[in-house]
Amino acid sequence: MTDHDTVDNSGPCGSSGAGCAGGACGPAPTASPASPAPTASPAPGAPGLGIFDKELLDRCISCGFCLPACPTYALTGEETSSPRGRITLMRALETGDLGPDDPTLAEESSFCLGCRACETVCPAGVEYGQLLEQWRDHQWSGRNRPWIARGLMALVSRPGLLRLQGLVRRHARGPGRKTEPRDATPAPSSSPSSPPATNPAEGPEQPVSLMLGCVERGLYPEVSQAVRRLCPEVDVPAAQGCCGALHAHNGDSATGEKLARTLGEQLPGTVLTTAGGCAAHLAHHLGRDRVRELSEYLDERGHRPAGQVTVDGRRARAALQDSCHLRNGLGVTRPPRELIAEVADYVELPGAGQCCGAAGTYAMLRPADSKKVLDPKLTEVEHADVDYVVALNPGCLRQLEQGLRRVRSRAKAIHLAEFLALAAEQGPGRPAPGAGAADTTER
């Protein structure tokens, strides 16, 4: 596949258009977001081949608000590399105006990161993530699926191989330790769609089961070990497989749904995850009430981290890299920032909410494009002079580790669970309220 060249999109709202309050002016692109897409778009409601959910596809009104939010459009300035342009391609595929072997369809279904940033600015409520899954289900079927994705999907579909990683890497396991009910009143939920947290005084709490991610249990077993130290009440069932997010994002959403529901049966009560992408996928199939990402779980329980992270005797400076699906799919942004600010001096990166380029298998399928998406973020890290960049997803963590190593940065990438556990290990010394805390207002 051809990697796209980067173009200079500097405009009145900044390099990505993020400074525009509504996104309507966009960057300085080849086509204004307010103008029609250059490719003729089949009329909504036209008869189709049944590749896409008709209601989802017809919802797009081609307004262009999505253009400034799209990382790949920021790279190229090309309409076809924007959400609006890709939906135009989807409509052409649905009506048969473009054949499934059209090279533009193949390229753009692969070039998209699937970060869902477009959904957060769409006035029509287009569920682009669902459309992308349907597109890849059709475009990447059979031998058309990238071989790297096929290999990874085959690996994580075998629970025995996943459990074998635990014998070598020693991730957390076993039942949780019974704890006394907390006195603190749970904090309000971070997402409008999240139900209020259960007050222990109102009755017995549901069990909480930690999901061991496919990548995380093998590459980062320290993450689940840190969760066990932070949340000793959490169970870690041994018999658990893949959540199916990898399949859903790589052209097999049917298997992705099946694996999610199976995992829901294997993990009783609330499913706690340390991977933002897995959280969004599981919430879609199991229901938002059953799924919690670590930062929102701690926030709802009124957890205040102990200790602080120090570097050379001073309070550490730490930034956050949002998980795209956690931020754009579930709306969780405030809890991780507030938790970090409790134990370190929090520094908000200008592009914290923008994709890092990991995007599941994207960094392996399109390494050159992935690097182009990541490089501006690495520059921001250097300018911010931080000691740590905290991640909420194992894919993001690996992407940041490799990037920071490549540019020989002194900053270290670390998962939120490990960061909070590190603070507790380094000892008490919580500063006075407000000391060192940056603006953590939810955006």
Side-chain angles (χ1 to χ4, degrees):
M1 296 178 182
T2 303
D3 291 309
H4 283 268
D5 293 329
T6 305
V7 299
D8 183 4
N9 278 333
S10 297
C13 295
S15 61
S16 68
C20 175
C25 60
T30 55
S32 168
S35 64
T39 304
S41 176
L49 301 178
I51 299 170
F52 299 95
D53 182 305
K54 181 176 178 296
E55 190 274 331
L56 292 182
L57 198 60
D58 289 351
R59 198 178 295 174
C60 176
I61 58 176
S62 298
C63 66
F65 275 68
C66 57
L67 272 66
C70 179
T72 54
Y73 181 75
L75 285 178
T76 68
E78 297 176 1
E79 175 75 23
T80 52
S81 298
S82 72
R84 179 176 70 177
R86 290 184 176 117
I87 289 177
T88 296
L89 292 174
M90 294 179 200
R91 286 173 173 163
L93 174 62
E94 177 70 10
T95 59
D97 290 346
L98 286 178
D101 57 348
D102 183 272
T104 304
L105 288 175
E107 170 65 8
E108 290 302 332
S109 64
S110 170
F111 187 35
C112 179
L113 288 149
C115 67
R116 298 174 62 181
C118 52
E119 294 185 18
T120 66
V121 297
C122 179
V126 174
E127 297 178 47
Y128 181 84
Q130 293 301 303
L131 289 172
L132 180 62
E133 288 186 9
Q134 293 169 13
W135 192 9
R136 289 181 175 172
D137 281 351
H138 179 79
Q139 202 75 37
W140 289 9
S141 60
R143 294 183 179 275
N144 292 327
R145 183 174 298 123
W147 68 268
I148 292 178
R150 290 204 305 267
L152 290 173
M153 291 161 67
L155 173 65
V156 301
S157 296
R158 292 167 169 77
L161 291 179
L162 293 179
R163 288 195 287 271
L164 185 61
Q165 295 183 75
L167 299 178
V168 180
R169 301 291 289 161
R170 307 302 297 175
H171 55 67
R173 65 199 69 210
R177 190 169 70 238
K178 301 303 179 183
T179 59
E180 293 297 322
R182 299 173 184 266
D183 294 330
T185 301
S189 170
S190 62
S191 172
S193 60
S194 304
T198 302
N199 188 329
E202 296 177 354
E205 295 186 43
Q206 292 293 315
V208 180
S209 302
L210 177 64
M211 189 203 84
L212 297 170
C214 301
V215 173
E216 207 167 70
R217 73 179 81 183
L219 294 181
Y220 303 109
E222 299 85 358
V223 172
S224 60
Q225 294 169 10
V227 173
R228 174 52 64 82
R229 294 196 294 275
L230 293 169
C231 312
E233 75 278 5
V234 172
D235 295 331
V236 190
Q240 55 174 290
C242 174
C243 75
L246 180 66
H247 296 73
H249 300 159
N250 287 278
D252 190 1
S253 60
T255 299
E257 179 179 358
K258 179 181 178 181
L259 289 173
R261 297 193 182 282
T262 299
L263 184 63
E265 296 171 356
Q266 294 169 337
L267 302 180
T270 298
V271 178
L272 177 63
T273 173
T274 49
C278 299
H281 176 72
L282 286 171
H284 178 70
H285 292 293
L286 302 183
R288 187 67 177 96
D289 60 324
R290 278 207 62 193
V291 180
R292 287 293 179 273
E293 179 270 337
L294 177 64
S295 70
E296 62 173 345
Y297 173 77
L298 294 175
D299 179 61
E300 289 176 357
R301 292 181 66 85
H303 175 87
R304 294 197 67 195
Q308 61 181 333
V309 179
T310 59
V311 175
D312 297 330
R314 59 172 173 81
R315 191 169 160 91
R317 290 170 56 83
L320 174 72
Q321 169 57 42
D322 280 299
S323 158
C324 289
H325 281 215
L326 185 65
R327 179 187 183 95
N328 303 328
L330 298 183
V332 177
T333 61
R334 176 184 55 79
R337 287 167 167 79
E338 292 188 349
L339 289 167
I340 294 170
E342 285 274 350
V343 298
D345 290 343
Y346 179 73
V347 179
E348 180 75 16
L349 297 177
Q354 298 167 5
C355 186
C356 68
T361 58
Y362 192 92
M364 290 178 280
L365 299 178
R366 304 186 66 106
D369 288 325
S370 175
K371 178 177 176 293
K372 291 175 185 176
V373 174
L374 174 65
D375 281 348
K377 196 173 297 289
L378 298 178
T379 302
E380 291 179 359
V381 170
E382 294 307 294
H383 287 168
D385 191 31
V386 296
D387 303 296
Y388 292 93
V389 183
V390 180
L392 306 173
N393 200 66
C396 303
L397 178 58
R398 184 168 178 79
Q399 176 84 337
L400 291 167
E401 280 182 340
Q402 293 177 340
L404 293 171
R405 189 181 305 120
R406 171 165 52 84
V407 299
R408 299 183 178 181
S409 172
R410 74 174 186 85
K412 178 182 179 181
I414 188 171
H415 192 280
L416 177 66
E418 292 182 273
F419 191 69
L420 298 179
L422 177 63
E425 291 168 3
Q426 290 192 352
R430 185 193 306 278
D439 179 15
T440 58
T441 303
E442 186 167 359
R443 293 179 290 172

